[in-house]
Amino acid sequence: MTTFIRIIFAFLAFPSALACLTADSFAHEPLYSERPGKLRILVDKVLMRSTNWIMTEEHVKEIAGAGFNVVSPRSGGEDLNRVREIAGFARKYNISYLPWMRGSLVARTGPRMLYENGVEQAICSPDSDELWQWMVGLILEYARISMQIPSLTGVFLDFENYYPPQRPGHLYFLSYDDAMMSAYAGAKGLTLPQIEKPNRYRWLTSQGLHRDLELFQIERWRIRCRNLRQRVDAFNPRFQFFVNPGKGTPFLIEAAFPEWSTPETPIILADDITYGRPSPDTPHKDALLINQRKLANQIKKAQQLSIPFKYIGGIDPVVRNADPEFSARNAVMISETADGYWAFYEGPKLGKDHSTYFDWFTKANFAIERNDFRFWSEDRVTPDFSTSFPM
């Protein structure tokens, strides 16, 4: 069960002594922007809301003007005409562009994700041809466009699990669906009995077959991920994969992370561990220090993977009292500790608190650009706990 043992390291505590740990030992970041430095990514769900979820040139101009060097609209990534249009806007305003896409797909014809406890979700199994044809097709189009419009520098893949009947965190774990069981049996020359879905994990374990199935499934994942990287490289070997979560799952740690990362084009691990404060009532300065310690520990764990990578921490205004000033100072702290930050920008409203958030993000971004990391430890200038969005 070494796969799951390796997963556990992502959640175990390391010694809390802090150092400014980054992935810079793997160096080299192929950003188009002339303002590369630390990554400052805005994943927008606020500006686009006013224009029927279509990102406009004015939106990109405002995002670039606030000091972000990467834009990633939360929707629109499956419309290739819009992708080209936004890439053009990003090039005009000298920032990079990442189409955002989920790493999951609701199953229509292919096998569904089936967990070891027998719970089945509506999404495709991680070994589903349906899933991979969709994912590969779209990402290859992005890679093709990136050669025509170099401001498109990669893809931001979201493996968060949004689907009922349960949400066990992130995707993917092993799937025990019919197609996988059949493929395994065929490859191994086995004749498997009819096993009810809730009993498959226990039966495989009792027969001493589970580890073999695990290795079989992982190898199939790795082949698919390797094939995607090779096909992307045929268009653009500097095309980058940004992946949430940075902490990983069996699929990510065993297949996606190692196969999508190269020394020239390291994978970007996007962690949400710094979203908001550790708890809603944690005071500002304590919250920043705790976030810094947690992020540094996560980077140390990622270094054990022994792959080229960069690590970025996330910010979300709707999470645990992440008011405008806290979000800004959190961004600078994250950028000192890691390779930059990504803001999953949801909650603020245009004409209300959006301008306040962007004023603070602008201060943060230009502090990061100047390497003025003292900004995050300065005293607050607005009252603490001034803003809270319901989750």
Side-chain angles (χ1 to χ4, degrees), residues 124-318:
C124 292
S125 160
D127 193 48
S128 164
D129 289 339
E130 182 182 5
L131 169 68
W132 283 93
Q133 288 168 6
W134 168 76
M135 186 185 300
V136 170
L138 202 51
I139 292 174
L140 289 182
E141 287 299 323
Y142 297 158
R144 190 195 310 271
I145 294 169
S146 76
M147 295 305 294
Q148 303 161 355
I149 314 176
S151 55
L152 197 164
T153 55
V155 60
F156 206 134
L157 277 159
D158 176 16
F159 286 95
E160 187 170 350
N161 190 350
Y162 296 94
Y163 300 91
Q166 65 173 20
R167 294 172 56 182
H170 294 89
L171 302 166
Y172 290 98
F173 291 81
L174 298 184
S175 183
Y176 301 84
D177 58 87
D178 291 346
M180 173 50 61
M181 296 289 284
S182 177
Y184 171 68
K188 301 296 181 178
L190 301 174
T191 300
L192 300 181
Q194 291 294 323
I195 312 167
E196 294 297 321
K197 293 176 181 179
N199 300 328
R200 291 177 181 179
Y201 170 76
R202 288 193 298 272
W203 186 88
L204 289 162
T205 302
S206 71
Q207 298 298 309
L209 296 174
H210 188 271
R211 175 58 177 161
D212 198 40
L213 171 71
E214 181 182 19
L215 293 174
F216 176 77
Q217 193 163 166
I218 288 169
E219 181 58 22
R220 289 167 72 92
W221 294 344
R222 294 198 68 149
I223 290 170
R224 289 184 184 275
C225 289
R226 187 180 309 134
N227 175 264
L228 174 55
R229 178 76 254 185
Q230 290 171 350
R231 294 180 69 182
V232 164
D233 286 350
F235 288 110
N236 183 3
R238 295 173 73 83
F239 185 93
Q240 284 186 294
F241 288 82
F242 291 63
V243 177
N244 169 44
K247 293 184 287 293
T249 61
F251 168 78
L252 295 175
I253 289 175
E254 297 287 354
F257 289 175
E259 297 296 345
W260 289 344
S261 185
T262 71
E264 296 77 20
T265 312
I267 196 166
I268 311 297
L269 306 181
D271 200 335
D272 60 9
I273 199 168
T274 49
Y275 271 12
R277 305 171 191 240
S279 65
D281 58 353
T282 307
H284 174 94
K285 285 193 173 182
D286 292 342
L288 290 173
L289 291 171
I290 294 170
N291 279 359
Q292 185 189 46
R293 182 169 61 249
K294 291 193 299 183
L295 180 60
N297 284 339
Q298 289 301 112
I299 296 169
K300 289 178 67 175
K301 296 169 191 176
Q303 288 171 338
Q304 295 184 15
L305 298 173
S306 299
I307 62 170
F309 73 93
K310 286 184 175 289
Y311 213 92
I312 56 177
I315 290 171
D316 189 333
V318 305

Side-chain angles (χ1 to χ4, degrees), residues 87-104:
F89 296 154
R91 178 169 58 182
K92 179 175 180 179
Y93 294 102
N94 196 35
I95 62 174
S96 296
Y97 163 50
L98 300 171
W100 176 284
M101 66 179 294
R102 288 186 179 177
S104 57

